[in-house]
């Protein structure tokens, strides 16, 4: 299973982002995506969070490879943008996982980790 992050950007009105109160809330988008998902998509769970610029999503997808999971996530988001009139003007601005970032954090953690002293033989 893979966690794919996606960001949907709210539409702009006269050069400014639509106010949060006047747009679809994250929990409603989450329900909508689950309803639009097909069994073959392998969606296990979706986390959604309102953000000043739009909505951030975490899609947990059961696929064999990361590329397949990223493709499923992008297709599902685009399916919603193309079919749901309440999402007119919204856009998909990011979709995927940044393995380089995650691996970099792991490497930094390993370098800073404390070494346990060896137990002296008695």
């Amino acid at each position: 299973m893979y966690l794919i992050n996606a960001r949907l950007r709210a539409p702009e009105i006269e050069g400014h982002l639509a106010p949060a109160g006047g747009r679809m809330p994250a929990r409603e988008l989450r329900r909508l995506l689950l309803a639009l998902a097909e069994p073959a998509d392998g969606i296990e769970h979706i986390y959604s969070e309102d953000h000043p610029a739009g909505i951030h999503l975490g899609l947990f997808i059961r696929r064999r490879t990361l590329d397949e999971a990223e493709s499923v996530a992008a297709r599902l988001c685009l399916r919603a943008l193309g079919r749901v009139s309440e999402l007119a003007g919204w856009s998909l601005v990011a979709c995927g996982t940044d393995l380089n970032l995650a691996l970099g954090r792991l490497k930094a953690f390993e370098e800073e980790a404390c070494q346990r002293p060896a137990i002296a033989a008695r």
Side-chain angles (χ1 to χ4, degrees), residues 42-60:
I43 303 292
E44 293 288 328
H45 176 72
I46 298 175
Y47 170 80
S48 62
E49 179 178 280
D50 287 304
H51 187 269
I55 296 176
H56 290 186
L57 301 165
L59 297 98
F60 294 82

Side-chain angles (χ1 to χ4, degrees), residues 37-118:
E38 299 169 358
D41 290 335
I43 303 292
E44 293 288 328
H45 176 72
I46 298 175
Y47 170 80
S48 62
E49 179 178 280
D50 287 304
H51 187 269
I55 296 176
H56 290 186
L57 301 165
L59 297 98
F60 294 82
I61 303 173
R62 187 168 302 279
R63 300 304 283 192
R64 290 181 312 179
T65 68
L66 175 60
D67 286 343
E68 288 177 14
E70 288 177 333
S71 293
V72 166
R75 281 195 312 268
L76 180 58
C77 290
L78 293 173
R79 190 179 308 150
L81 294 176
R83 293 185 186 174
V84 179
S85 60
E86 294 87 0
L87 294 174
W90 285 74
S91 57
L92 178 64
V93 294
C95 187
T97 184
D98 190 340
L99 288 178
N100 290 327
L101 178 61
L103 292 173
R105 287 182 182 160
L106 178 61
K107 185 174 186 280
F109 174 76
E110 288 174 350
E111 289 172 358
E112 295 175 9
C114 296
Q115 297 292 322
R116 257 176 61 187

